[in-house]
Amino acid sequence: LTQGASSQLTFSGSMPTVTTLTATASSNTVSYTSTAGAQTVISITYVNLTIDKSGQTATLGGTTTVNGTLTLTQGTLDANNNNVTIAGNLSSSNTNTRTITMGSGTWTLSSTGTVWDTSTVTGLTVNQNTSTIAITNTSATSKTFAGGGKTYYDLSITASGSGAVIFTGANTFNNFTINAPKTITFPA
């Protein structure tokens, strides 16, 4: 199955058997929306990936890459101990009931701008488990981690580059690693 450019593919019921899914065409979105049961997110590279599963869980089937936006609108996104690479941003800033279960994998954020946005925390649960969030962009452009004052496990900022990393929200981290040259800005 190959998804065309600027198209929307929605898995709204029982997951069909899809042996190959190509979802890397420009500006497309794949959504997992079944409210009747859990779904396994196909382990591929997406442009945009949306989880919108009121009262249900979407579990990553393996290592997953999102080159645009990973949106959690409602329901549970369970990384299932897999690595997640987001070359755009993670967006879950709304008041719906939603949970991010991060597992033991690494969540790599390799873009600029607001790379993580959970700034509206009403209805949000973050299960940090033993995950690592790695901010890896090497440019001179700033990156913002809008964590909403939640607790995360490990965070590392180890890439070179002079772009500042800005944190909003009184977030808590188990381990926080920074390699020079980086300017880090925390909320007052």
Side-chain angles (χ1 to χ4, degrees):
L1 177 63
T2 300
Q3 183 183 17
S6 300
S7 63
Q8 171 74 41
L9 174 63
T10 301
F11 294 109
S12 60
S14 298
M15 286 300 295
T17 301
V18 178
T19 55
T20 303
L21 173 61
T22 303
T24 54
S26 175
S27 300
N28 69 21
T29 300
V30 176
S31 299
Y32 292 82
T33 64
S34 174
T35 58
Q39 290 177 302
T40 299
V41 176
I42 299 168
S43 174
I44 60 165
T45 297
Y46 296 89
V47 174
N48 297 300
L49 173 62
T50 298
I51 308 301
D52 189 359
K53 297 181 57 59
S54 179
Q56 297 297 330
T57 299
T59 302
L60 299 185
T63 297
T64 301
T65 299
V66 180
N67 287 331
T69 301
L70 170 56
T71 303
L72 174 59
T73 304
Q74 58 187 337
T76 297
L77 171 58
D78 183 350
N80 196 28
N81 301 317
N82 291 297
N83 293 329
V84 179
T85 299
I86 303 171
N89 67 312
L90 179 132
S91 176
S92 186
S93 189
N94 61 66
T95 59
N96 297 324
T97 300
R98 62 216 190 279
T99 300
I100 302 171
T101 300
M102 299 184 73
S104 61
T106 298
W107 292 62
T108 301
L109 309 175
S110 62
S111 189
T112 60
T114 302
V115 295
W116 184 280
D117 187 3
T118 55
S119 55
T120 302
V121 297
T122 302
L124 175 65
T125 300
V126 175
N127 297 319
Q128 76 274 13
N129 308 104
T130 57
S131 62
T132 298
I133 297 171
I135 298 175
T136 63
N137 183 277
T138 60
S139 74
T141 305
S142 66
K143 300 75 151 143
T144 299
F145 184 92
K150 291 293 189 177
T151 298
Y152 301 89
Y153 201 69
D154 292 346
L155 185 127
S156 69
I157 304 168
T158 56
S160 62
S162 60
V165 180
I166 301 162
F167 288 84
T168 64
N171 310 296
T172 301
F173 299 95
N174 182 58
N175 290 303
F176 192 100
T177 305
I178 306 167
N179 283 0
K182 287 292 178 193
T183 299
I184 308 297
T185 304
F186 294 103

